[in-house]
PDB file of all heavy atoms in Angstrom:
ATOM      1  N   ALA A 132     289.301  38.058 213.820  1.00 97.00           N
ATOM      2  CA  ALA A 132     289.156  36.896 212.987  1.00 97.00           C
ATOM      3  C   ALA A 132     290.441  36.297 212.428  1.00 97.00           C
ATOM      4  O   ALA A 132     290.753  35.204 212.354  1.00 97.00           O
ATOM      5  CB  ALA A 132     288.029  37.148 211.883  1.00 97.00           C
ATOM      6  N   LEU A 133     291.124  37.289 211.923  1.00 97.00           N
ATOM      7  CA  LEU A 133     292.521  36.855 211.309  1.00 97.00           C
ATOM      8  C   LEU A 133     293.447  36.343 212.401  1.00 97.00           C
ATOM      9  O   LEU A 133     294.168  35.409 212.082  1.00 97.00           O
ATOM     10  CB  LEU A 133     293.146  38.146 210.648  1.00 97.00           C
ATOM     11  CG  LEU A 133     292.608  38.476 209.268  1.00 97.00           C
ATOM     12  CD1 LEU A 133     293.039  39.983 208.846  1.00 97.00           C
ATOM     13  CD2 LEU A 133     293.130  37.494 208.200  1.00 97.00           C
ATOM     14  N   LEU A 134     293.424  37.004 213.532  1.00 97.00           N
ATOM     15  CA  LEU A 134     294.351  36.562 214.565  1.00 97.00           C
ATOM     16  C   LEU A 134     293.866  35.134 215.052  1.00 97.00           C
ATOM     17  O   LEU A 134     294.739  34.268 215.210  1.00 97.00           O
ATOM     18  CB  LEU A 134     294.249  37.553 215.733  1.00 97.00           C
ATOM     19  CG  LEU A 134     295.315  37.336 216.840  1.00 97.00           C
ATOM     20  CD1 LEU A 134     296.718  37.145 216.303  1.00 97.00           C
ATOM     21  CD2 LEU A 134     295.296  38.512 217.770  1.00 97.00           C
ATOM     22  N   ARG A 135     292.587  34.991 215.187  1.00 96.00           N
ATOM     23  CA  ARG A 135     292.119  33.604 215.705  1.00 96.00           C
ATOM     24  C   ARG A 135     292.431  32.519 214.670  1.00 96.00           C
ATOM     25  O   ARG A 135     292.972  31.430 215.065  1.00 96.00           O
ATOM     26  CB  ARG A 135     290.597  33.600 216.021  1.00 96.00           C
ATOM     27  CG  ARG A 135     290.276  34.194 217.337  1.00 96.00           C
ATOM     28  CD  ARG A 135     288.767  34.005 217.612  1.00 96.00           C
ATOM     29  NE  ARG A 135     287.887  34.765 216.688  1.00 96.00           N
ATOM     30  CZ  ARG A 135     287.662  36.110 216.812  1.00 96.00           C
ATOM     31  NH1 ARG A 135     288.200  36.752 217.791  1.00 96.00           N
ATOM     32  NH2 ARG A 135     286.879  36.612 216.010  1.00 96.00           N
ATOM     33  N   ALA A 136     292.371  32.764 213.320  1.00 96.00           N
ATOM     34  CA  ALA A 136     292.620  31.820 212.351  1.00 96.00           C
ATOM     35  C   ALA A 136     294.134  31.456 212.394  1.00 96.00           C
ATOM     36  O   ALA A 136     294.559  30.309 212.232  1.00 96.00           O
ATOM     37  CB  ALA A 136     292.233  32.344 210.954  1.00 96.00           C
ATOM     38  N   GLY A 137     295.005  32.474 212.448  1.00 97.00           N
ATOM     39  CA  GLY A 137     296.498  32.263 212.504  1.00 97.00           C
ATOM     40  C   GLY A 137     296.829  31.541 213.810  1.00 97.00           C
ATOM     41  O   GLY A 137     297.668  30.603 213.678  1.00 97.00           O
ATOM     42  N   LEU A 138     296.269  31.915 214.943  1.00 97.00           N
ATOM     43  CA  LEU A 138     296.698  31.170 216.250  1.00 97.00           C
ATOM     44  C   LEU A 138     296.253  29.760 216.157  1.00 97.00           C
ATOM     45  O   LEU A 138     296.978  28.924 216.712  1.00 97.00           O
ATOM     46  CB  LEU A 138     296.064  31.962 217.417  1.00 97.00           C
ATOM     47  CG  LEU A 138     296.607  33.352 217.706  1.00 97.00           C
ATOM     48  CD1 LEU A 138     295.765  33.986 218.843  1.00 97.00           C
ATOM     49  CD2 LEU A 138     298.051  33.245 218.072  1.00 97.00           C
ATOM     50  N   ALA A 139     295.184  29.408 215.425  1.00 95.00           N
ATOM     51  CA  ALA A 139     294.778  27.955 215.330  1.00 95.00           C
ATOM     52  C   ALA A 139     295.876  27.190 214.643  1.00 95.00           C
ATOM     53  O   ALA A 139     295.911  26.056 214.858  1.00 95.00           O
ATOM     54  CB  ALA A 139     293.411  27.985 214.705  1.00 95.00           C
ATOM     55  N   ARG A 140     296.580  27.799 213.751  1.00 95.00           N
ATOM     56  CA  ARG A 140     297.588  27.085 213.032  1.00 95.00           C
ATOM     57  C   ARG A 140     298.982  26.924 213.879  1.00 95.00           C
ATOM     58  O   ARG A 140     299.727  26.012 213.584  1.00 95.00           O
ATOM     59  CB  ARG A 140     297.970  28.059 211.846  1.00 95.00           C
ATOM     60  CG  ARG A 140     299.058  27.467 211.015  1.00 95.00           C
ATOM     61  CD  ARG A 140     299.451  28.540 209.917  1.00 95.00           C
ATOM     62  NE  ARG A 140     298.462  28.927 208.895  1.00 95.00           N
ATOM     63  CZ  ARG A 140     298.111  30.140 208.742  1.00 95.00           C
ATOM     64  NH1 ARG A 140     298.687  31.225 209.254  1.00 95.00           N
ATOM     65  NH2 ARG A 140     297.063  30.332 207.937  1.00 95.00           N
ATOM     66  N   CYS A 141     299.096  27.628 214.997  1.00 95.00           N
ATOM     67  CA  CYS A 141     300.244  27.602 215.719  1.00 95.00           C
ATOM     68  C   CYS A 141     300.522  26.399 216.662  1.00 95.00           C
ATOM     69  O   CYS A 141     301.660  26.166 217.244  1.00 95.00           O
ATOM     70  CB  CYS A 141     300.325  28.893 216.515  1.00 95.00           C
ATOM     71  SG  CYS A 141     300.465  30.358 215.516  1.00 95.00           S
ATOM     72  N   GLY A 142     299.545  25.456 216.755  1.00 91.00           N
ATOM     73  CA  GLY A 142     299.776  24.287 217.516  1.00 91.00           C
ATOM     74  C   GLY A 142     300.323  24.452 218.925  1.00 91.00           C
ATOM     75  O   GLY A 142     300.990  23.578 219.400  1.00 91.00           O
ATOM     76  N   GLY A 143     299.930  25.412 219.640  1.00 90.00           N
ATOM     77  CA  GLY A 143     300.301  25.596 221.076  1.00 90.00           C
ATOM     78  C   GLY A 143     301.688  26.221 221.237  1.00 90.00           C
ATOM     79  O   GLY A 143     302.079  26.437 222.272  1.00 90.00           O
ATOM     80  N   LEU A 144     302.476  26.429 220.199  1.00 96.00           N
ATOM     81  CA  LEU A 144     303.781  26.992 220.302  1.00 96.00           C
ATOM     82  C   LEU A 144     303.648  28.473 220.734  1.00 96.00           C
ATOM     83  O   LEU A 144     302.577  29.148 220.465  1.00 96.00           O
ATOM     84  CB  LEU A 144     304.524  26.915 219.001  1.00 96.00           C
ATOM     85  CG  LEU A 144     305.128  25.445 218.646  1.00 96.00           C
ATOM     86  CD1 LEU A 144     305.725  25.431 217.268  1.00 96.00           C
ATOM     87  CD2 LEU A 144     306.051  24.964 219.713  1.00 96.00           C
ATOM     88  N   PRO A 145     304.732  29.049 221.237  1.00 97.00           N
ATOM     89  CA  PRO A 145     304.684  30.474 221.520  1.00 97.00           C
ATOM     90  C   PRO A 145     304.464  31.226 220.212  1.00 97.00           C
ATOM     91  O   PRO A 145     304.863  30.847 219.147  1.00 97.00           O
ATOM     92  CB  PRO A 145     306.067  30.827 222.084  1.00 97.00           C
ATOM     93  CG  PRO A 145     306.588  29.445 222.487  1.00 97.00           C
ATOM     94  CD  PRO A 145     305.982  28.455 221.625  1.00 97.00           C
ATOM     95  N   VAL A 146     303.952  32.463 220.306  1.00 98.00           N
ATOM     96  CA  VAL A 146     303.747  33.406 219.241  1.00 98.00           C
ATOM     97  C   VAL A 146     304.293  34.780 219.600  1.00 98.00           C
ATOM     98  O   VAL A 146     304.071  35.245 220.674  1.00 98.00           O
ATOM     99  CB  VAL A 146     302.276  33.481 218.834  1.00 98.00           C
ATOM    100  CG1 VAL A 146     302.152  34.471 217.593  1.00 98.00           C
ATOM    101  CG2 VAL A 146     301.688  32.197 218.537  1.00 98.00           C
ATOM    102  N   TYR A 147     305.173  35.343 218.798  1.00 98.00           N
ATOM    103  CA  TYR A 147     305.764  36.624 218.982  1.00 98.00           C
ATOM    104  C   TYR A 147     305.250  37.685 218.014  1.00 98.00           C
ATOM    105  O   TYR A 147     305.031  37.331 216.863  1.00 98.00           O
ATOM    106  CB  TYR A 147     307.237  36.465 219.000  1.00 98.00           C
ATOM    107  CG  TYR A 147     308.020  37.781 219.218  1.00 98.00           C
ATOM    108  CD1 TYR A 147     308.105  38.356 220.491  1.00 98.00           C
ATOM    109  CD2 TYR A 147     308.552  38.543 218.124  1.00 98.00           C
ATOM    110  CE1 TYR A 147     308.815  39.594 220.660  1.00 98.00           C
ATOM    111  CE2 TYR A 147     309.178  39.697 218.352  1.00 98.00           C
ATOM    112  CZ  TYR A 147     309.291  40.227 219.540  1.00 98.00           C
ATOM    113  OH  TYR A 147     309.931  41.475 219.744  1.00 98.00           O
ATOM    114  N   LEU A 148     305.250  38.867 218.298  1.00 98.00           N
ATOM    115  CA  LEU A 148     304.894  40.017 217.395  1.00 98.00           C
ATOM    116  C   LEU A 148     305.474  41.331 217.933  1.00 98.00           C
ATOM    117  O   LEU A 148     305.914  41.339 219.067  1.00 98.00           O
ATOM    118  CB  LEU A 148     303.458  40.145 217.241  1.00 98.00           C
ATOM    119  CG  LEU A 148     302.488  40.452 218.456  1.00 98.00           C
ATOM    120  CD1 LEU A 148     302.517  42.076 218.680  1.00 98.00           C
ATOM    121  CD2 LEU A 148     301.121  39.959 218.326  1.00 98.00           C
ATOM    122  N   GLU A 149     305.604  42.248 217.155  1.00 98.00           N
ATOM    123  CA  GLU A 149     305.965  43.691 217.487  1.00 98.00           C
ATOM    124  C   GLU A 149     304.680  44.601 217.209  1.00 98.00           C
ATOM    125  O   GLU A 149     304.220  44.475 216.092  1.00 98.00           O
ATOM    126  CB  GLU A 149     307.103  44.232 216.689  1.00 98.00           C
ATOM    127  CG  GLU A 149     308.483  43.379 216.828  1.00 98.00           C
ATOM    128  CD  GLU A 149     308.664  42.486 215.661  1.00 98.00           C
ATOM    129  OE1 GLU A 149     307.850  42.405 214.817  1.00 98.00           O
ATOM    130  OE2 GLU A 149     309.674  41.781 215.804  1.00 98.00           O
ATOM    131  N   SER A 150     304.277  45.201 218.198  1.00 98.00           N
ATOM    132  CA  SER A 150     303.165  46.102 217.977  1.00 98.00           C
ATOM    133  C   SER A 150     303.865  47.608 217.824  1.00 98.00           C
ATOM    134  O   SER A 150     304.623  48.055 218.670  1.00 98.00           O
ATOM    135  CB  SER A 150     302.278  46.230 219.252  1.00 98.00           C
ATOM    136  OG  SER A 150     301.185  47.137 218.923  1.00 98.00           O
ATOM    137  N   SER A 151     303.406  48.213 216.736  1.00 96.00           N
ATOM    138  CA  SER A 151     303.994  49.542 216.470  1.00 96.00           C
ATOM    139  C   SER A 151     303.164  50.635 216.978  1.00 96.00           C
ATOM    140  O   SER A 151     303.450  51.800 216.788  1.00 96.00           O
ATOM    141  CB  SER A 151     304.194  49.695 214.900  1.00 96.00           C
ATOM    142  OG  SER A 151     303.002  49.376 214.190  1.00 96.00           O
ATOM    143  N   LYS A 152     302.020  50.305 217.596  1.00 96.00           N
ATOM    144  CA  LYS A 152     301.149  51.262 218.243  1.00 96.00           C
ATOM    145  C   LYS A 152     300.783  50.782 219.711  1.00 96.00           C
ATOM    146  O   LYS A 152     300.299  49.720 219.869  1.00 96.00           O
ATOM    147  CB  LYS A 152     299.947  51.541 217.513  1.00 96.00           C
ATOM    148  CG  LYS A 152     300.049  52.297 216.184  1.00 96.00           C
ATOM    149  CD  LYS A 152     298.667  52.530 215.611  1.00 96.00           C
ATOM    150  CE  LYS A 152     298.757  53.368 214.408  1.00 96.00           C
ATOM    151  NZ  LYS A 152     297.325  53.532 213.853  1.00 96.00           N
ATOM    152  N   GLU A 153     301.064  51.654 220.724  1.00 96.00           N
ATOM    153  CA  GLU A 153     300.678  51.263 222.050  1.00 96.00           C
ATOM    154  C   GLU A 153     299.196  51.105 222.241  1.00 96.00           C
ATOM    155  O   GLU A 153     298.795  50.261 222.942  1.00 96.00           O
ATOM    156  CB  GLU A 153     301.107  52.383 222.966  1.00 96.00           C
ATOM    157  CG  GLU A 153     301.011  52.016 224.432  1.00 96.00           C
ATOM    158  CD  GLU A 153     301.617  53.026 225.438  1.00 96.00           C
ATOM    159  OE1 GLU A 153     301.753  54.167 224.971  1.00 96.00           O
ATOM    160  OE2 GLU A 153     301.819  52.640 226.545  1.00 96.00           O
ATOM    161  N   SER A 154     298.399  51.753 221.266  1.00 96.00           N
ATOM    162  CA  SER A 154     296.967  51.585 221.432  1.00 96.00           C
ATOM    163  C   SER A 154     296.527  50.186 221.001  1.00 96.00           C
ATOM    164  O   SER A 154     295.449  49.791 221.306  1.00 96.00           O
ATOM    165  CB  SER A 154     296.314  52.710 220.539  1.00 96.00           C
ATOM    166  OG  SER A 154     296.605  52.596 219.266  1.00 96.00           O
ATOM    167  N   ASN A 155     297.389  49.449 220.227  1.00 96.00           N
ATOM    168  CA  ASN A 155     297.001  48.127 219.900  1.00 96.00           C
ATOM    169  C   ASN A 155     297.330  46.983 220.932  1.00 96.00           C
ATOM    170  O   ASN A 155     296.894  45.915 220.865  1.00 96.00           O
ATOM    171  CB  ASN A 155     297.660  47.760 218.558  1.00 96.00           C
ATOM    172  CG  ASN A 155     297.106  48.481 217.408  1.00 96.00           C
ATOM    173  OD1 ASN A 155     296.030  49.045 217.427  1.00 96.00           O
ATOM    174  ND2 ASN A 155     297.881  48.697 216.300  1.00 96.00           N
ATOM    175  N   VAL A 156     298.188  47.426 221.855  1.00 98.00           N
ATOM    176  CA  VAL A 156     298.567  46.435 222.873  1.00 98.00           C
ATOM    177  C   VAL A 156     297.372  45.745 223.579  1.00 98.00           C
ATOM    178  O   VAL A 156     297.355  44.533 223.790  1.00 98.00           O
ATOM    179  CB  VAL A 156     299.519  47.120 223.893  1.00 98.00           C
ATOM    180  CG1 VAL A 156     299.771  46.241 225.062  1.00 98.00           C
ATOM    181  CG2 VAL A 156     300.910  47.443 223.254  1.00 98.00           C
TER     182      VAL A 156
END
Side-chain angles (χ1 to χ4, degrees):
L133 281 163
L134 189 52
R135 279 188 295 280
L138 291 173
R140 180 188 296 128
C141 296
L144 289 174
V146 181
Y147 178 77
L148 63 86
E149 298 98 3
S150 180
S151 51
K152 285 185 176 178
E153 187 173 19
S154 60
N155 291 338
V156 167

